[in-house]
Every structure is written in structure tokens, then in C-alpha cells.
Amino acid sequence: MASDFWTHNIFANNQLPNAARTSIANQLYMGQNPTFATANFLIVTYDLSRLGIPDGQIVVGAEQQYWTWKRPGPDRVGLNTLAYYQTFLDRKFELKLGYLRNANEFTGTLFAGVSGSNMFALFQAGMSTNAAPTPAVNLKYNLDDHLYNKVSMQRSISPDGPYAEITENPTGLNWSTANTGILFVDELGYKSKAAPGVPDTWLRAGVGFNSGHYKNLADPDQQRQSGNSFHYIAADRQLWQSDVEGTPSRGIYGGFSIMGAPPDLNRISRYYELRLYAKGPFDSRPTDLISLVASNTAWSKVAVDAALAKGQLAHRDTTAITGTYIAHLAPGIYATLGLSYIHNPTSITHTAQTEHALDLLVSTLIFF
């Protein structure tokens, strides 16, 4: 039996003057007020090979989170995962079932915490999260050592988003919540690990279909309608190996992500991301990481037009450029320092004082 405990702590604060500080209850984006968040995890894995079941595992995990800004929360203590994992036919097939967090199973978030892929584009369409695991069955078929296809049948999270899901089901144990349905996800990918003279490569594309009942953003008061969807494509490629014979994964990488969802049911209709990053940028710091990420979030035309019709200040997209340095300070201890410029940091509507933000980002990740 193996157990892992880790804590992830994040702080963000807008450095621009006239940042429109407000009460915590009225805060509109992370960093508008000094914002702190912590998430703590305990995962226990029982290896069933000792009972004669090769590659069999039972995984049980709990999560506690706290935010000074409650919208991404709310605060909770509850289930993180409860899963059974098994391989079949010489590891051609991998099965995982139970209460799963599919945000860790699909698309591949490369940068933890304060930068990287904006998974909310998929959360809004029902994908489960660390704080909102749901019953699911995942099956991965490894066509060869590189090519794979992975499918999931998951109970979707609330159509009203992770906040509504966690509020109704803080422990994560409920079999269902209001207006949820079945989310089907399919990802096809190619993955090749770095080797001397062979660059690290990961290509993947996926689709999701959700039978849950969503509000139509053109008229939220009308009867909910069934069915939602998303799609994504992402690629990451090692562009240069700095230590070919020693640690071939060290070097410079580039990548992109594109995500989309119907604008009548989802506040985010498109998400675009470009990333450039270096693993082990210095010989003296072989396990550090530097990243530069540019992203654009296109908000639903339906929701923007509805806000404009009410006379509100509204924007059609949000653009961010984020630079971070992740330092491996000691075994199991990482610290991140970053700076993120965001044009229109709020969701769809804004005030004259909330059009720009320059967030200082600090985080720590500690494994015990």
C-alpha cells in the first residue's frame, strides 16, 4: 500500500493601480483583490498484484480546498477519487472505473496551477474535476507503443458549473445532481517520450457529448434543453534537446490547444492557447521549468449580445500572456513565480476599472 499527500497553494494580486478593489463577495476575477487558494490531497493506492491480480490497483483519495474568493470554490472537504484500475491483454487495454476526475485523464494539462490550459472550457460542458469527481468508466486502447484511443462514459457535473456542483454535492459522493446527464468523451492521441535524438511528441484530439439539461443563454428563463458538446485539439513537441545523452527530455518545447463549444449553451465558445516552455533550462537547474503562455478566450456571442442589449459594458474575448518560472527547490518542493497580463479579466461584462490586470502569481507545491 502506498500513500501520497501534497499541498498546492496559490496567491494572485493585481499590480496595476486603480484595480477596482471591492468586497470579497463582489470580486469578479482572481487577483482583483489579493486572492489566496489552497488545495490539499491524500491519495492511497493498494497494489492488487500481491493478491495475484497483475496491474490491478484500488485508489482512494480525499481533497480539501479553501479560497478567499469563493466563486471558484466553494470550500469543501470530500472525495477526490475512488477508482479501480486494471489492464488486459498484455496492457493493450487499460480500464479505470469509479468516482473519477476526468480533467486529469484527458487533454493533458502541462502547466500546473497558475498557468496553462484553461480547462473551464471543458468543465462548462460537464467534465469532472479534482473537486467534483463523478461516477465514470474509462477505457484506453493502446494500438501500439505510441498511438492510443481513450473513451469515457461519465456522469457529467452540473450544467451550471463546478460551483453549483460542489455546492450541491460537497462530499462528491452523490450519484447525481440536478439537471446532469451522461457525458461521453473520446480522445485519439499519439505520444512518444523523449530519447536520445528522438524529440518528445504528444498529439491529441477529442470530442465530448453531454445529455445534461442546459439553460439557453439567449433566454435563460425558458425551459432547459438537453444536449451539449465540446471538441479540442492539442499538440506539444520538443523543439530542441539540450542534454541528448544525459536527460533527453530537457530542452525547449512548443505547443498549442484549441477548444470549442456551442455558444448558445456555453459562456466560453472558443479557447486558443500557444505555449513555449523549457524543461531543465540550466545545467545547474535540471528539473526547473520556464513557460510563456498566450491565450485567448472567446465568449459566447449569444451571451455577449444579451449583455449589450441590457446596456452593460461587455467584451467578446479575453486575452492573457503569462510568464512563469517553476523552481524545484528540494525533493518534493516546488515554487512558482509568474506575471500575467490580462485584457478583460472578467467574464463577459466589465467596468471601466476592470478592463486590464497585471497579476503577480506565486504558488507552492509540496509533496510529503
Side-chain angles (χ1 to χ4, degrees):
M1 182 179 294
S3 60
D4 297 287
F5 173 70
W6 69 95
T7 179
H8 190 193
N9 304 280
I10 302 171
F11 174 79
N13 186 25
N14 186 5
Q15 300 301 294
L16 296 180
N18 305 315
R21 304 291 194 199
T22 183
S23 66
I24 292 293
N26 296 320
Q27 186 172 338
L28 297 175
Y29 64 89
M30 189 163 179
Q32 183 178 10
N33 295 323
T35 306
F36 172 77
T38 181
N40 303 288
F41 302 87
L42 175 63
I43 307 290
V44 178
T45 302
Y46 186 82
D47 185 356
L48 295 174
S49 61
R50 67 188 67 188
L51 301 179
I53 306 176
D55 290 338
Q57 293 181 344
I58 295 175
V59 184
V60 181
E63 185 243 21
Q64 179 269 333
Q65 70 176 27
Y66 168 80
W67 292 75
T68 56
W69 178 38
K70 302 306 179 185
R71 185 175 296 180
D75 304 339
R76 77 179 287 262
V77 177
L79 187 72
N80 174 252
T81 187
L82 175 59
Y84 175 74
Y85 172 83
Q86 182 67 63
T87 66
F88 300 94
L89 301 179
D90 196 27
R91 300 185 178 177
K92 278 287 186 182
F93 291 92
E94 300 177 51
L95 172 70
K96 184 179 287 188
L97 57 87
Y99 283 79
L100 307 182
R101 58 256 167 88
N102 271 340
N104 296 321
E105 300 281 340
F106 292 89
T107 78
T109 303
L110 293 172
F111 304 101
V114 297
S115 66
S117 297
N118 185 346
M119 290 292 293
F120 196 82
L122 305 186
F123 298 161
Q124 65 180 0
M127 184 170 282
S128 55
T129 75
N130 271 311
T134 63
V137 178
N138 292 359
L139 182 64
K140 182 181 180 184
Y141 173 44
N142 299 301
L143 285 77
D144 55 30
D145 291 340
H146 305 296
L147 193 62
Y148 69 88
N149 189 67
K150 189 171 187 177
V151 297
S152 175
M153 187 170 65
Q154 172 214 309
R155 194 270 282 172
S156 65
I157 68 170
S158 171
D160 299 325
Y163 187 95
E165 173 72 27
I166 298 168
T167 300
E168 184 177 348
N169 181 23
T171 64
L173 292 170
N174 292 2
W175 184 256
S176 65
T177 54
N179 299 306
T180 56
I182 300 299
L183 173 64
F184 174 80
V185 185
D186 188 355
E187 178 178 290
L188 179 65
Y190 175 90
K191 195 170 188 178
S192 177
K193 292 184 178 180
V198 179
D200 191 299
T201 304
W202 191 10
L203 314 173
R204 60 271 193 206
V207 295
F209 301 95
N210 186 353
S211 66
H213 293 79
Y214 280 73
K215 293 180 180 179
N216 190 304
L217 296 179
D219 186 4
D221 295 328
Q222 73 176 355
Q223 185 176 357
R224 288 176 181 260
Q225 61 186 74
S226 177
N228 197 1
S229 64
F230 62 75
H231 58 270
Y232 61 87
I233 182 170
D236 287 271
R237 173 79 169 182
Q238 189 176 21
L239 305 176
W240 176 64
Q241 292 182 322
S242 60
D243 187 11
V244 176
E245 299 301 328
T247 308
S249 61
R250 287 183 58 200
I252 297 175
Y253 293 70
F256 72 89
S257 296
I258 301 172
M259 303 177 184
D264 57 332
L265 301 178
N266 302 277
R267 293 174 68 82
I268 298 174
S269 61
R270 290 287 186 275
Y271 176 76
Y272 307 94
E273 178 178 297
L274 288 174
R275 46 190 175 266
L276 184 68
Y277 52 103
K279 294 182 179 180
F282 310 110
D283 289 340
S284 60
R285 310 291 306 173
T287 54
D288 289 1
L289 187 146
I290 299 175
S291 69
L292 180 65
V293 179
S295 66
N296 178 266
T297 301
W299 300 101
S300 161
K301 181 180 184 300
V302 175
V304 173
D305 288 347
L308 292 173
K310 296 178 182 177
Q312 297 174 315
L313 289 174
H315 48 269
R316 298 198 178 275
D317 66 351
T318 292
T319 301
I321 300 176
T322 303
T324 57
Y325 189 98
I326 302 177
H328 187 186
L329 301 180
I333 302 177
Y334 299 82
T336 299
L337 181 65
L339 198 63
S340 181
Y341 169 75
I342 312 165
H343 178 57
N344 294 323
T346 62
S347 170
I348 298 181
T349 60
H350 64 267
T351 68
Q353 292 77 35
T354 59
E355 290 190 63
H356 306 276
L358 183 65
D359 277 0
L360 172 67
L361 307 168
V362 181
S363 76
T364 59
L365 179 62
I366 302 174
F367 296 88
F368 295 93

PDB file of all heavy atoms in Angstrom, residues 115-132:
ATOM      1  N   SER A 115      -0.753  28.685 -14.503  1.00  0.00           N
ATOM      2  CA  SER A 115      -0.729  28.914 -15.945  1.00  0.00           C
ATOM      3  C   SER A 115      -1.094  27.626 -16.647  1.00  0.00           C
ATOM      4  O   SER A 115      -1.192  26.570 -16.055  1.00  0.00           O
ATOM      5  CB  SER A 115       0.661  29.379 -16.404  1.00  0.00           C
ATOM      6  OG  SER A 115       1.608  28.353 -16.217  1.00  0.00           O
ATOM      7  N   GLY A 116      -1.334  27.725 -17.953  1.00  0.00           N
ATOM      8  CA  GLY A 116      -1.625  26.531 -18.721  1.00  0.00           C
ATOM      9  C   GLY A 116      -3.041  26.483 -19.224  1.00  0.00           C
ATOM     10  O   GLY A 116      -3.790  27.447 -19.153  1.00  0.00           O
ATOM     11  N   SER A 117      -3.420  25.338 -19.765  1.00  0.00           N
ATOM     12  CA  SER A 117      -4.692  25.196 -20.458  1.00  0.00           C
ATOM     13  C   SER A 117      -5.880  25.576 -19.577  1.00  0.00           C
ATOM     14  O   SER A 117      -5.994  25.151 -18.440  1.00  0.00           O
ATOM     15  CB  SER A 117      -4.860  23.753 -20.934  1.00  0.00           C
ATOM     16  OG  SER A 117      -3.858  23.422 -21.858  1.00  0.00           O
ATOM     17  N   ASN A 118      -6.760  26.374 -20.137  1.00  0.00           N
ATOM     18  CA  ASN A 118      -7.965  26.795 -19.429  1.00  0.00           C
ATOM     19  C   ASN A 118      -9.010  25.694 -19.539  1.00  0.00           C
ATOM     20  O   ASN A 118      -9.813  25.655 -20.457  1.00  0.00           O
ATOM     21  CB  ASN A 118      -8.492  28.098 -20.034  1.00  0.00           C
ATOM     22  CG  ASN A 118      -9.662  28.649 -19.254  1.00  0.00           C
ATOM     23  OD1 ASN A 118     -10.256  27.967 -18.427  1.00  0.00           O
ATOM     24  ND2 ASN A 118     -10.003  29.890 -19.514  1.00  0.00           N
ATOM     25  N   MET A 119      -8.985  24.779 -18.573  1.00  0.00           N
ATOM     26  CA  MET A 119      -9.870  23.622 -18.631  1.00  0.00           C
ATOM     27  C   MET A 119     -11.335  23.996 -18.437  1.00  0.00           C
ATOM     28  O   MET A 119     -12.216  23.173 -18.666  1.00  0.00           O
ATOM     29  CB  MET A 119      -9.447  22.595 -17.577  1.00  0.00           C
ATOM     30  CG  MET A 119      -8.139  21.909 -17.874  1.00  0.00           C
ATOM     31  SD  MET A 119      -8.224  20.817 -19.303  1.00  0.00           S
ATOM     32  CE  MET A 119      -9.315  19.551 -18.674  1.00  0.00           C
ATOM     33  N   PHE A 120     -11.619  25.238 -18.020  1.00  0.00           N
ATOM     34  CA  PHE A 120     -13.013  25.595 -17.800  1.00  0.00           C
ATOM     35  C   PHE A 120     -13.815  25.491 -19.083  1.00  0.00           C
ATOM     36  O   PHE A 120     -15.030  25.297 -19.049  1.00  0.00           O
ATOM     37  CB  PHE A 120     -13.145  27.002 -17.215  1.00  0.00           C
ATOM     38  CG  PHE A 120     -14.503  27.251 -16.616  1.00  0.00           C
ATOM     39  CD1 PHE A 120     -14.797  26.820 -15.336  1.00  0.00           C
ATOM     40  CD2 PHE A 120     -15.501  27.874 -17.349  1.00  0.00           C
ATOM     41  CE1 PHE A 120     -16.054  27.016 -14.789  1.00  0.00           C
ATOM     42  CE2 PHE A 120     -16.769  28.078 -16.817  1.00  0.00           C
ATOM     43  CZ  PHE A 120     -17.044  27.638 -15.525  1.00  0.00           C
ATOM     44  N   ALA A 121     -13.149  25.597 -20.231  1.00  0.00           N
ATOM     45  CA  ALA A 121     -13.852  25.414 -21.495  1.00  0.00           C
ATOM     46  C   ALA A 121     -14.471  24.031 -21.590  1.00  0.00           C
ATOM     47  O   ALA A 121     -15.478  23.837 -22.278  1.00  0.00           O
ATOM     48  CB  ALA A 121     -12.893  25.647 -22.665  1.00  0.00           C
ATOM     49  N   LEU A 122     -13.893  23.042 -20.892  1.00  0.00           N
ATOM     50  CA  LEU A 122     -14.445  21.687 -20.878  1.00  0.00           C
ATOM     51  C   LEU A 122     -15.292  21.434 -19.627  1.00  0.00           C
ATOM     52  O   LEU A 122     -16.261  20.682 -19.672  1.00  0.00           O
ATOM     53  CB  LEU A 122     -13.326  20.654 -20.969  1.00  0.00           C
ATOM     54  CG  LEU A 122     -12.371  20.808 -22.163  1.00  0.00           C
ATOM     55  CD1 LEU A 122     -11.400  19.637 -22.215  1.00  0.00           C
ATOM     56  CD2 LEU A 122     -13.124  20.933 -23.470  1.00  0.00           C
ATOM     57  N   PHE A 123     -14.944  22.086 -18.501  1.00  0.00           N
ATOM     58  CA  PHE A 123     -15.756  21.941 -17.288  1.00  0.00           C
ATOM     59  C   PHE A 123     -17.191  22.387 -17.547  1.00  0.00           C
ATOM     60  O   PHE A 123     -18.144  21.768 -17.064  1.00  0.00           O
ATOM     61  CB  PHE A 123     -15.177  22.762 -16.132  1.00  0.00           C
ATOM     62  CG  PHE A 123     -13.801  22.356 -15.702  1.00  0.00           C
ATOM     63  CD1 PHE A 123     -13.009  23.229 -14.971  1.00  0.00           C
ATOM     64  CD2 PHE A 123     -13.287  21.113 -16.022  1.00  0.00           C
ATOM     65  CE1 PHE A 123     -11.736  22.879 -14.566  1.00  0.00           C
ATOM     66  CE2 PHE A 123     -12.000  20.744 -15.621  1.00  0.00           C
ATOM     67  CZ  PHE A 123     -11.231  21.636 -14.890  1.00  0.00           C
ATOM     68  N   GLN A 124     -17.364  23.507 -18.287  1.00  0.00           N
ATOM     69  CA  GLN A 124     -18.697  24.038 -18.531  1.00  0.00           C
ATOM     70  C   GLN A 124     -19.574  23.047 -19.291  1.00  0.00           C
ATOM     71  O   GLN A 124     -20.796  23.080 -19.187  1.00  0.00           O
ATOM     72  CB  GLN A 124     -18.606  25.354 -19.312  1.00  0.00           C
ATOM     73  CG  GLN A 124     -18.045  25.176 -20.708  1.00  0.00           C
ATOM     74  CD  GLN A 124     -17.932  26.453 -21.508  1.00  0.00           C
ATOM     75  OE1 GLN A 124     -18.277  27.539 -21.038  1.00  0.00           O
ATOM     76  NE2 GLN A 124     -17.447  26.342 -22.729  1.00  0.00           N
ATOM     77  N   ALA A 125     -18.938  22.164 -20.048  1.00  0.00           N
ATOM     78  CA  ALA A 125     -19.678  21.156 -20.811  1.00  0.00           C
ATOM     79  C   ALA A 125     -19.757  19.823 -20.089  1.00  0.00           C
ATOM     80  O   ALA A 125     -20.194  18.831 -20.680  1.00  0.00           O
ATOM     81  CB  ALA A 125     -19.051  20.976 -22.188  1.00  0.00           C
ATOM     82  N   GLY A 126     -19.331  19.789 -18.798  1.00  0.00           N
ATOM     83  CA  GLY A 126     -19.622  18.625 -17.976  1.00  0.00           C
ATOM     84  C   GLY A 126     -18.473  17.796 -17.493  1.00  0.00           C
ATOM     85  O   GLY A 126     -18.681  16.846 -16.730  1.00  0.00           O
ATOM     86  N   MET A 127     -17.218  18.076 -17.874  1.00  0.00           N
ATOM     87  CA  MET A 127     -16.101  17.224 -17.466  1.00  0.00           C
ATOM     88  C   MET A 127     -15.839  17.359 -15.966  1.00  0.00           C
ATOM     89  O   MET A 127     -15.854  18.456 -15.412  1.00  0.00           O
ATOM     90  CB  MET A 127     -14.843  17.571 -18.258  1.00  0.00           C
ATOM     91  CG  MET A 127     -13.676  16.655 -17.960  1.00  0.00           C
ATOM     92  SD  MET A 127     -12.281  16.872 -19.102  1.00  0.00           S
ATOM     93  CE  MET A 127     -12.892  15.981 -20.545  1.00  0.00           C
ATOM     94  N   SER A 128     -15.587  16.242 -15.307  1.00  0.00           N
ATOM     95  CA  SER A 128     -15.379  16.232 -13.860  1.00  0.00           C
ATOM     96  C   SER A 128     -14.006  16.782 -13.493  1.00  0.00           C
ATOM     97  O   SER A 128     -13.073  16.773 -14.291  1.00  0.00           O
ATOM     98  CB  SER A 128     -15.537  14.809 -13.320  1.00  0.00           C
ATOM     99  OG  SER A 128     -14.673  13.905 -13.994  1.00  0.00           O
ATOM    100  N   THR A 129     -13.887  17.259 -12.244  1.00  0.00           N
ATOM    101  CA  THR A 129     -12.689  17.950 -11.788  1.00  0.00           C
ATOM    102  C   THR A 129     -12.164  17.319 -10.502  1.00  0.00           C
ATOM    103  O   THR A 129     -12.797  16.435  -9.911  1.00  0.00           O
ATOM    104  CB  THR A 129     -12.997  19.425 -11.521  1.00  0.00           C
ATOM    105  OG1 THR A 129     -13.739  19.537 -10.290  1.00  0.00           O
ATOM    106  CG2 THR A 129     -13.810  20.050 -12.645  1.00  0.00           C
ATOM    107  N   ASN A 130     -11.002  17.803 -10.034  1.00  0.00           N
ATOM    108  CA  ASN A 130     -10.448  17.325  -8.764  1.00  0.00           C
ATOM    109  C   ASN A 130     -11.416  17.530  -7.609  1.00  0.00           C
ATOM    110  O   ASN A 130     -11.497  16.707  -6.701  1.00  0.00           O
ATOM    111  CB  ASN A 130      -9.137  18.054  -8.470  1.00  0.00           C
ATOM    112  CG  ASN A 130      -7.926  17.357  -9.050  1.00  0.00           C
ATOM    113  OD1 ASN A 130      -7.748  16.161  -8.885  1.00  0.00           O
ATOM    114  ND2 ASN A 130      -7.097  18.106  -9.740  1.00  0.00           N
ATOM    115  N   ALA A 131     -12.128  18.664  -7.627  1.00  0.00           N
ATOM    116  CA  ALA A 131     -13.047  18.980  -6.540  1.00  0.00           C
ATOM    117  C   ALA A 131     -14.451  18.455  -6.798  1.00  0.00           C
ATOM    118  O   ALA A 131     -15.314  18.565  -5.933  1.00  0.00           O
ATOM    119  CB  ALA A 131     -13.109  20.492  -6.325  1.00  0.00           C
ATOM    120  N   ALA A 132     -14.683  17.898  -7.975  1.00  0.00           N
ATOM    121  CA  ALA A 132     -16.013  17.389  -8.319  1.00  0.00           C
ATOM    122  C   ALA A 132     -15.883  16.095  -9.110  1.00  0.00           C
ATOM    123  O   ALA A 132     -16.175  16.042 -10.307  1.00  0.00           O
ATOM    124  CB  ALA A 132     -16.792  18.435  -9.116  1.00  0.00           C
TER     125      ALA A 132
END
